[in-house]
Amino acid sequence: MSSASVPDPDSVPALSVPMRDRPNPLTQSKPAVIGFAFLAAMFIACLGSLPWTLSASNPEVSEVPRYDSGDPKSGRLPPVWWPYDDTDTKRAIAAVDQSTLAQIASEHNTDIDQIITDADSKAHEQAMDAAPSFILGSDNLGRSLAIRLLTGGGISLAIGICAALISVGIGTIYGAIAAYMGGKVDSVMMRIVDVLYGLPYILLVVLLAVASNALLDEYQSRARTKTNWAINQIIETQTTETDESLTRSEARVIFESDPVLQDDLMVQAAQLYPRRVFSTGTRTTLDVLTLLIAIGGVSWLTMARVIRGQVLSLKNQPFIEAARALGSPGRRVFLKHLLPNLIGPIVVYATLAVPQAILQESFLSFLGIGVKPPLPSWGNLAAEGLSELNTFRSHWWLLFFPCALLGLTLLAMNFVGEGLRTAFDPKRER
Amino acid sequence: MTQAATQPNMNTKSMTNTPIMEVRNLAVSFDNGSGPRIQAVDGVNMTVYPRQTLAVVGESGCGKSVTSMSSMQLVPRPPGRFDRGEIIYRMENGEKVNLLTLTEQQMRSVRGNEIAMIFQEPMTSLNPVYTVGDQIIEAITLHQDVTAKEAWKIAVKAMDDVGIPDPEGRMKAYPHQFSGGMRQRVMIAMALACQPRLLLADEPTTALDVTIQAQILELIQDLKETRDMAVILITHDLGVVAENSDVVCVMYAGRVVEYANVYDLFDDPRHPYTRGLLASIPKIGTSHDRLVTIDEIVNNPEEFKKLPGADKGVTPWWPWNEPPADLKKLNEPAGDYCLKQIAENHWVGVWRTEAVANDDSPPPQLNYRVADHKE
């Protein structure tokens, strides 16, 4: 076969560009690459700084985490690089503690009022150096907006990703099962989706959030357990005293009509069933969990429809029939042959579901049913910022930065999602 | 009697003289929404012996694929339904089972293990997300209790058997890295990895060009000989039938119209439809203004008067013709038709007229192999 005259194929220069050197469709799209870089930076900054922002700056003095610590005296200061006007300067200097101010005053032979009013003096400059400064300004309680934005971003992104994962998970399994079973099962399952689609999703989220809140409250206060105990008490006393047995509804009427008895019994009950106490951390975590389950549990509908369509076309592919003809059990065909072929649409939809979930979270927080203050999220930071906007004096940074970060992140995510969609699309233009 | 007459020379093992699969009066219909059920298969009979290739020929929609899918219970039900009949399959241990009544669980040990199938579309019959090695190994581990290493070895052997060069290296390749012919070889390797005793080849070469077609068919023939395997070859290409089959079953509208060994069928076609099929093949070296169509043959009433006993009323069954006046229709589905043995090794579908009403033709069974008659 091999003779000396035949040149080694590797030594012959190739005529065309090798396959692997051709541009990758994903890196071809500039918006997608820039968006991806922006997102990576955002994720590292927000999620990476969470341990720092959620911990207390000085654990021995107070337990207040960094995102919530601030001095109202230094409230509403603009970003440090923004020119301060008179009121800002006054507030900034007023926030410097008195002993430092007194020291500066004595050094320059003036008094404290003089330092504040005389803007050109050396003493004023020195006082301003000692005054607290914030890179992105501070809010009305003197908390650093930058730290609150980092924390809020971490929470928004985490909720976005988790909610998107939940929605993608439920949607994929639901849609795939509906399509794979086919027939009546499919019809019933998809009609349920249609009905849920018809309901305004905000209503569902609010209902879920309110219901879970009520459950948590009941778990903490144990009001129902206490009332039940009180009614049982009434029935018992009645039976021992008069030998007459009362029905529960009769006992309830007595209980509700006699405030003295009611108070007395409830005090006793409170001793028997003390209020269960959550730490702030637990309560916050539970609230966030409820929120992401509510968002994820409502936004899987589109995913279910997309996946159902994909599975319907996939399950008639000959390779599925071939797998059955080999004797694969149905479950195995589903898990091993169908699902891996759905990775493309799942990934694309997931990248587009994350910004949607973040937006929903922000929207709900903006309305006041999402993340509860003092825990920040981009949504409730923007809501706070909006209330700071007025014709008399605008604290623009409080509205601008949360909105800008939210907007840029959503834009970047959509660019990346679009880039992935194009890359997975077999019919894309070269 | 028929059996004994067609018995070939005596060097075949005794087991090869017992049918491996017998399809008896199989009828399958499909739900058609608001309309009447569509009778895809309406009383089909056929018999396959080990080491034999049975070719099932017919136009699209005549029920040939549904018949083979039924034997794997791969007909989607609903909308499909087995109306009547049975498919008797002789398992490796000699036990006879009716494939139509097995549970899904029992069926899984038949599929791939006893009966394997290769499909028409090699381009889409492999899962694009797994390597071909993974897919062959899956087929092996489904039915054989082997370790991963042993399965790998069996898979490499199977790839080698079907003539894939560098089987070790190609195990790690994905389906899209193969050409159509190579993919069909992979499908055959997958089908054969579990040593099935019956291979259903549903138009295995339709999507391939003629040179690859010849290679694939030759490969199937070789494997059939070396493994004592039976093959049901579904096709609409009479050239393929002539080259590769031992017994031919011609189907039309869900029924068998002619059943004979390959030489008898090509030399002496008895049903007008078969004659039409054969006449419509263009012949190289002759010049025609236009080619003969099947319609020209089956629309000619004279063609229906050529069967032995035609004067007594033995008329070939043809759904578009008026049934003969002396039709003795049985009060059951497909009661106007019967498959009559008109010669020792030749069956033709005829109207159930007076002349054939008391006919007791055995169901078609031909233990015939071309290879045994070559010197």
Side-chain angles (χ1 to χ4, degrees):
Chain A
M1 266 299 274
S2 61
S3 71
S5 62
V6 176
D8 176 21
D10 286 340
S11 68
V12 180
L15 287 178
S16 64
V17 187
M19 207 64 166
R20 60 180 167 277
D21 292 347
R22 286 191 192 156
N24 178 341
L26 203 54
T27 52
Q28 275 289 75
S29 144
K30 273 227 178 77
V33 173
I34 296 173
F36 187 79
F38 178 83
L39 280 184
M42 202 49 127
F43 271 70
I44 292 169
C46 291
L47 294 171
S49 66
L50 273 186
W52 182 75
T53 52
L54 291 180
S55 64
S57 58
N58 195 350
E60 278 149 37
V61 181
S62 78
E63 288 281 298
V64 181
R66 276 197 180 81
Y67 69 83
D68 195 23
S69 64
D71 182 2
K73 274 195 275 181
S74 58
R76 301 196 175 101
L77 284 178
V80 67
W81 38 267
W82 187 257
Y84 282 23
D85 64 14
D86 283 351
T87 27
D88 295 330
T89 335
K90 266 181 210 160
R91 269 215 315 279
I93 290 178
V96 182
D97 70 291
Q98 290 298 312
S99 57
T100 321
L101 271 185
Q103 205 191 336
I104 294 170
S106 66
E107 271 174 35
H108 293 273
N109 286 327
T110 51
D111 57 31
I112 294 174
D113 294 339
Q114 201 66 33
I115 297 176
I116 296 172
T117 46
D118 190 358
D120 297 328
S121 70
K122 273 247 169 69
H124 180 89
E125 230 167 77
Q126 210 173 336
M128 281 305 286
D129 284 346
S133 63
F134 301 96
I135 185 151
L136 293 180
S138 64
D139 68 0
N140 58 347
L141 294 176
R143 299 175 292 196
S144 162
L145 181 62
I147 293 178
R148 285 181 71 72
L149 277 176
L150 281 179
T151 321
I155 286 170
S156 285
L157 290 175
I159 289 185
I161 291 169
C162 294
L165 283 182
I166 292 178
S167 89
V168 165
I170 300 179
T172 305
I173 293 169
Y174 193 93
I177 289 179
Y180 191 66
M181 303 291 278
K184 288 205 178 83
V185 180
D186 182 28
S187 306
V188 170
M189 286 176 85
M190 291 327 280
R191 288 308 77 72
I192 293 174
V193 167
D194 290 346
V195 169
L196 289 178
Y197 237 117
L199 299 174
Y201 94 94
I202 277 299
L203 189 75
L204 284 179
V205 174
V206 171
L207 280 178
L208 272 175
V210 168
S212 73
N213 256 341
L215 275 179
L216 284 178
D217 280 344
E218 165 62 29
Y219 178 80
Q220 280 192 300
S221 65
R222 303 161 103 175
R224 197 172 297 166
T225 327
K226 284 194 274 191
T227 320
N228 278 343
W229 177 84
I231 290 172
N232 283 341
Q233 260 340 81
I234 292 173
I235 297 174
E236 232 167 78
T237 16
Q238 194 73 19
T239 337
T240 44
E241 279 170 11
T242 63
D243 258 5
E244 266 174 56
S245 61
L246 282 171
T247 62
R248 285 196 74 81
S249 48
E250 284 165 342
R252 183 177 286 275
V253 172
I254 298 176
F255 175 72
E256 275 161 7
S257 60
D258 186 349
V260 183
L261 177 71
Q262 192 176 350
D263 284 352
D264 185 37
L265 280 171
M266 285 316 266
V267 169
Q268 288 179 42
Q271 278 169 352
L272 274 172
Y273 302 101
R275 187 180 168 79
R276 290 189 183 110
V277 187
F278 285 141
S279 70
T280 343
T282 321
R283 181 72 208 214
T284 317
T285 319
L286 283 174
D287 281 342
V288 171
L289 267 181
T290 318
L291 186 65
L292 73 89
I293 288 172
I295 295 175
V298 165
S299 55
W300 55 271
L301 301 170
T302 322
M303 187 71 192
R305 283 191 173 173
V306 171
I307 292 298
R308 174 178 172 268
Q310 292 284 336
V311 173
L312 277 185
S313 72
L314 263 182
K315 83 168 183 176
N316 289 325
Q317 291 278 317
F319 68 82
I320 296 295
E321 194 169 33
R324 292 189 58 215
L326 275 177
S328 295
R331 199 156 37 90
R332 190 190 173 94
V333 174
F334 181 75
L335 292 175
K336 261 206 84 180
H337 292 275
L338 262 179
L339 282 187
N341 277 291
L342 294 172
I343 289 296
I346 290 176
V347 166
V348 170
Y349 185 82
T351 51
L352 295 173
V354 173
Q356 211 184 344
I358 291 180
L359 193 63
Q360 285 173 3
E361 181 276 323
S362 299
F363 176 50
L364 290 173
S365 301
F366 189 87
L367 291 181
I369 25 183
V371 174
K372 297 197 178 51
L375 196 66
S377 88
W378 284 344
N380 63 22
L381 286 176
E384 272 171 38
L386 191 65
S387 67
E388 292 289 336
L389 209 60
N390 55 53
T391 46
F392 174 61
R393 199 178 149 70
S394 290
H395 308 291
W396 57 269
W397 58 92
L398 290 176
L399 181 63
F400 176 77
F401 291 114
C403 293
L405 277 186
L406 182 61
L408 285 176
T409 307
L410 297 187
L411 202 62
M413 282 178 169
N414 277 301
F415 280 148
V416 172
E418 194 65 18
L420 280 174
R421 207 177 58 79
T422 331
F424 275 115
D425 185 3
K427 283 185 280 258
R428 66 168 180 264
E429 288 168 27
R430 294 266 174 192
Chain B
M1 36 113 225
T2 327
Q3 205 86 331
T6 52
Q7 205 92 153
N9 38 15
M10 296 301 114
N11 59 357
T12 46
K13 289 173 235 157
S14 65
M15 278 304 256
T16 60
N17 295 331
T18 3
I20 184 163
M21 189 166 91
E22 298 161 76
V23 180
R24 293 290 172 260
N25 294 316
L26 176 72
V28 185
S29 63
F30 287 89
D31 190 10
N32 183 29
S34 50
R37 293 186 75 84
I38 289 170
Q39 197 71 43
V41 170
D42 198 6
V44 160
N45 285 285
M46 53 180 78
T47 311
V48 198
Y49 289 86
R51 220 162 51 77
Q52 181 185 56
T53 305
L54 170 71
V56 182
V57 199
E59 58 191 54
S60 295
C62 71
K64 46 192 200 301
S65 287
V66 172
T67 307
S68 77
M69 299 289 251
S70 299
S71 62
M72 295 272 253
Q73 278 196 24
L74 283 178
V75 175
R77 286 170 297 151
R81 188 181 76 189
F82 298 141
D83 298 330
R84 59 209 143 82
E86 51 187 8
I87 299 179
I88 304 296
Y89 180 80
R90 190 168 50 78
M91 304 283 272
E92 194 150 23
N93 55 17
E95 186 195 346
K96 287 189 172 183
V97 292
N98 182 357
L99 291 178
L100 297 185
T101 55
L102 290 188
T103 63
E104 183 68 20
Q105 187 103 33
Q106 293 167 315
M107 209 57 220
R108 280 211 296 273
S109 61
V110 172
R111 288 182 196 142
N113 196 26
E114 289 276 349
I115 308 177
M117 192 162 191
I118 46 183
F119 293 86
Q120 182 174 359
E121 288 287 335
M123 309 308 276
T124 50
S125 297
L126 290 165
N127 192 334
V129 300
Y130 294 111
T131 63
V132 296
D134 283 346
Q135 297 187 52
I136 300 177
I137 288 173
E138 188 194 357
I140 296 165
T141 47
L142 272 173
H143 299 293
Q144 295 175 34
D145 191 17
V146 290
T147 63
K149 235 183 207 157
E150 286 164 338
W152 174 273
K153 273 189 195 142
I154 298 172
V156 171
K157 174 84 177 28
M159 299 257 285
D160 197 30
D161 284 350
V162 296
I164 293 174
D166 182 23
E168 287 267 0
R170 305 253 75 187
M171 287 282 283
K172 295 190 197 93
Y174 283 89
H176 71 265
Q177 295 169 292
F178 285 77
S179 69
M182 280 301 189
R183 278 187 224 185
Q184 194 62 291
R185 283 173 197 263
V186 172
M187 284 304 294
I188 296 173
M190 250 167 101
L192 298 183
C194 292
Q195 314 270 358
R197 293 167 60 238
L198 173 62
L199 180 70
L200 304 178
D202 192 346
E203 308 195 22
T205 56
T206 313
L208 307 174
D209 69 58
V210 267
T211 43
I212 305 299
Q213 173 173 335
Q215 291 173 12
I216 296 287
L217 289 169
E218 200 170 316
L219 174 67
I220 295 177
Q221 288 295 312
D222 283 353
L223 293 165
K224 180 189 82 174
E225 294 295 331
T226 53
R227 300 188 177 197
D228 268 359
M229 189 173 64
V231 177
I232 295 184
L233 181 67
I234 296 169
T235 181
H236 46 237
D237 184 342
L238 285 170
V240 168
V241 173
E243 281 290 321
N244 296 285
S245 63
D246 302 311
V247 175
V248 187
C249 168
V250 183
M251 285 182 69
Y252 189 84
R255 296 182 192 178
V256 176
V257 293
E258 190 156 1
Y259 193 101
N261 76 45
V262 61
Y263 288 120
D264 288 349
L265 188 103
F266 278 83
D267 293 345
D268 185 17
R270 296 298 183 88
H271 195 285
Y273 176 64
T274 317
R275 282 201 288 276
L277 278 180
L278 292 171
S280 60
I281 302 173
K283 289 178 185 60
I284 296 174
T286 56
S287 71
H288 290 283
D289 285 341
R290 47 190 299 279
L291 298 169
V292 183
T293 65
I294 296 175
D295 281 349
E296 283 169 37
I297 309 273
V298 297
N299 287 342
N300 179 0
E302 289 305 308
E303 289 286 341
F304 287 85
K305 293 175 182 163
K306 291 183 178 173
L307 278 186
D311 48 338
K312 294 191 207 98
V314 181
T315 319
W317 172 81
W318 190 243
W320 311 113
N321 281 4
E322 278 293 309
D326 58 344
L327 186 71
K328 283 249 190 248
K329 194 169 184 263
L330 286 182
N331 195 15
E332 62 184 51
D336 54 350
Y337 152 96
C338 82
L339 193 58
K340 181 176 164 54
Q341 186 176 22
I342 50 132
E344 199 170 28
N345 299 328
H346 215 124
W347 281 259
V348 173
V350 295
W351 292 110
R352 181 181 280 280
T353 52
E354 203 125 15
V356 293
N358 298 318
D359 184 72
D360 53 349
S361 294
Q365 41 195 348
L366 282 174
N367 190 6
Y368 174 89
R369 290 168 197 85
V370 173
D372 298 336
H373 295 266
K374 285 181 183 158
E375 67 301 332

